[in-house]
Amino acid sequence: MEKEKKLVWPDYENCLANIPNSVLKWFGETPLGVTHPLIDGYLEKEYKNVVLFLLDGMGMRILEKHLKKDGAFRTHLAGETNSVFLSTTVAATMSAITGQHPCEHGWLGWDCYYPSIDRNVTVFLNVIQGTDEPAADYHVANAVTPYESVVERLNKAGHQAYDAMPFAPPFPSDAEEICARIKKLCKEEGKKYIYAYWKEPDGLLHKYGCQAEIVKEELTFLEGMISEMASELEDTLLIVTADHGHIDTDFANLEDYPLLWECLERCPSLEPRVLNLFVKEDKKTFFEEEFRKEFGDKFLLMTMEEVIARKLMGTGKEHEQFRSMLGNYLAIATSDLSILFLEEEFKSMHGSITEDEMRIPLIVFDGKNIV
């Protein structure tokens, strides 16, 4: 595997979180942050409907690898933008839903540390990290880091806004049902916003890797279905994007490095490509030296003070729980190596700052001028 990768640091003036803020501005509501310049340009037109359709894991590299240049997605590629940091589903989809940066909404990675219960929790599943045991008798992330989606904000302000994803009523179970819901809503009266989400190709990429034929087949299917839907939508701006990309990965297991493992106060959290590390106070100097000796050419080890100073997780107002959820170091993958702490091995991963993970497409079907 290729070891050296081009790095793309987060740019919160040109990222996924800016798109929902452009939508808020389009409705005449106050954006929560910077809007997206490319999307702002399209929204100068007065559409009846705006649809943001997020395909999990369909980064630019995946798009370029598997879809034809003369296909619908690449011929409607208006540009590209970046994921947020971490470039992972928990952090990035929450930014797409809320218009906030990860430091603002506090949904940081697959596993997060919550000081109120002093546990690492698998965020979406609400279980204690590495187990099937419920983290609490309530949903921890929703309770500690509650949020208001752009859909909810718009509806509260008297506009029409809807979700089309498996986790929200009427709970469409597949991409076909999501498209059917979008088409139905777009035919109804009134100016409206629809946020749509589908879990592929992310699941297939994790299981089979970035080069797999089954990924190409799924993307070709989604491209055909979504472009056909676009041709049927009148007076609609359809934006198709992703939350992050993917990178085929090798693995190291942190438990195989006892000198490092013994320096930790708790199991790491976040992701195998970006590890949140709580290092014992009297072990910091040794840990830094040992980690860089073992992984210095494949991971960037940063103190959390450096991470915060560089505003890697966002430039907005930090959530009150944000800093207390962080350890004292962040290990950031700069190669194709991931460091497991409790997870199963996947063929492909994401979360870090390589261009494979950070670059995402902006595919635009302009319902006023369908090509």
Side-chain angles (χ1 to χ4, degrees):
M1 285 188 180
E2 179 188 359
K3 298 301 179 184
E4 292 187 4
K5 296 288 182 180
K6 180 181 177 182
L7 303 183
V8 176
W9 294 95
D11 177 359
Y12 290 100
E13 294 190 0
N14 180 21
C15 73
L16 179 62
N18 305 141
I19 302 174
N21 283 301
S22 290
V23 172
L24 286 169
K25 178 182 175 182
W26 181 64
F27 274 97
E29 301 299 326
T30 302
L32 302 178
V34 176
T35 60
H36 199 286
L38 189 147
I39 300 303
D40 285 343
Y42 280 95
L43 291 178
E44 289 176 0
K45 303 176 185 178
E46 192 54 41
Y47 298 93
K48 177 187 172 191
N49 311 300
V50 171
V51 181
L52 176 61
F53 201 147
L54 192 151
L55 297 178
D56 200 322
M58 191 187 68
M60 280 297 301
R61 282 292 184 88
I62 299 302
L63 188 78
E64 293 163 349
K65 167 71 179 174
H66 291 294
L67 293 181
K68 296 178 180 179
K69 288 184 179 180
D70 60 354
F73 277 4
R74 294 184 69 180
T75 56
H76 286 82
L77 183 66
E80 63 177 80
T81 192
N82 295 326
S83 184
V84 297
F85 183 75
L86 281 52
S87 56
T88 190
T89 303
V90 173
T93 59
M94 192 57 65
S95 289
I97 287 169
T98 64
Q100 295 179 310
H101 303 166
C103 71
E104 295 177 286
H105 56 62
W107 295 58
L108 306 178
W110 186 251
D111 295 304
C112 284
Y113 171 67
Y114 293 96
S116 59
I117 61 171
D118 195 29
R119 291 284 183 88
N120 292 348
V121 175
T122 303
V123 175
F124 284 160
L125 304 180
N126 198 42
V127 295
I128 295 171
Q129 180 187 31
T131 76
D132 295 324
E133 181 183 345
D137 58 2
Y138 56 91
H139 194 283
V140 176
N142 283 336
V144 176
T145 50
Y147 65 92
E148 185 174 47
S149 70
V150 168
V151 167
E152 291 169 329
R153 287 180 185 275
L154 289 172
N155 284 323
K156 186 184 291 186
H159 306 289
Q160 293 185 60
Y162 304 89
D163 290 307
M165 56 182 176
F167 321 110
F171 306 106
S173 61
D174 55 32
E176 292 95 328
E177 289 188 10
I178 291 170
C179 287
R181 175 164 169 77
I182 292 170
K183 287 190 283 188
K184 178 179 180 294
L185 289 169
C186 284
K187 289 178 182 177
E188 295 178 0
E189 293 298 318
K191 176 178 177 177
K192 66 188 72 68
Y193 171 61
I194 302 165
Y195 171 75
Y197 165 88
W198 180 235
K199 64 182 181 179
E200 298 295 354
D202 183 74
L204 294 172
L205 286 160
H206 279 306
K207 187 173 182 179
Y208 297 105
C210 295
Q211 313 305 317
E213 185 66 21
I214 193 171
V215 173
K216 180 177 182 177
E217 292 170 359
E218 177 68 13
L219 276 175
T220 302
F221 165 73
L222 290 170
E223 177 184 44
M225 182 174 57
I226 291 171
S227 61
E228 181 180 353
M229 175 187 71
S231 69
E232 299 174 23
L233 300 178
E234 297 181 2
D235 203 6
T236 299
L237 183 71
L238 170 61
I239 306 158
V240 183
T241 189
D243 47 352
H244 53 73
H246 265 258
I247 184 171
D248 285 333
T249 184
D250 288 332
F251 289 98
N253 194 313
L254 196 57
E255 289 184 285
D256 292 336
Y257 298 84
L259 292 178
L260 290 173
W261 189 260
E262 291 165 6
C263 292
L264 301 180
E265 293 182 348
R266 62 174 58 255
C267 184
S269 54
L270 296 183
E271 302 277 350
R273 293 196 49 76
V274 181
L275 289 77
N276 183 25
L277 299 163
F278 289 77
V279 178
K280 296 172 184 175
E281 192 65 32
D282 62 344
K283 297 287 188 180
K284 286 182 177 180
T285 299
F286 174 81
F287 180 84
E288 288 185 19
E289 293 173 352
E290 188 69 16
F291 187 92
R292 289 181 175 127
K293 183 180 79 174
E294 298 289 356
F295 299 110
D297 60 336
K298 299 176 179 66
F299 272 78
L300 178 64
L301 185 67
M302 297 180 68
T303 67
M304 209 55 74
E305 289 79 10
E306 292 175 297
V307 171
I308 291 169
R310 293 188 65 165
K311 299 187 180 297
L312 293 187
M313 297 189 194
T315 59
K317 182 180 178 181
E318 293 176 3
H319 190 282
E320 60 183 11
Q321 294 293 318
F322 171 63
R323 295 198 184 193
S324 65
M325 297 168 69
L326 302 176
N328 37 32
Y329 292 91
L330 208 64
I332 303 171
T334 57
S335 71
D336 53 17
L337 183 73
S338 301
I339 299 178
L340 297 176
F341 31 98
L342 288 174
E343 306 77 7
E344 62 180 298
E345 288 189 14
F346 287 123
K347 296 281 189 181
S348 177
M349 297 289 287
H350 52 78
S352 195
I353 55 172
T354 70
E355 65 174 339
D356 305 61
E357 298 159 278
M358 287 292 291
R359 293 171 57 219
I360 56 176
L362 288 174
I363 300 160
V364 176
F365 295 90
D366 182 351
K368 288 187 179 293
N369 185 26
I370 293 177
V371 177

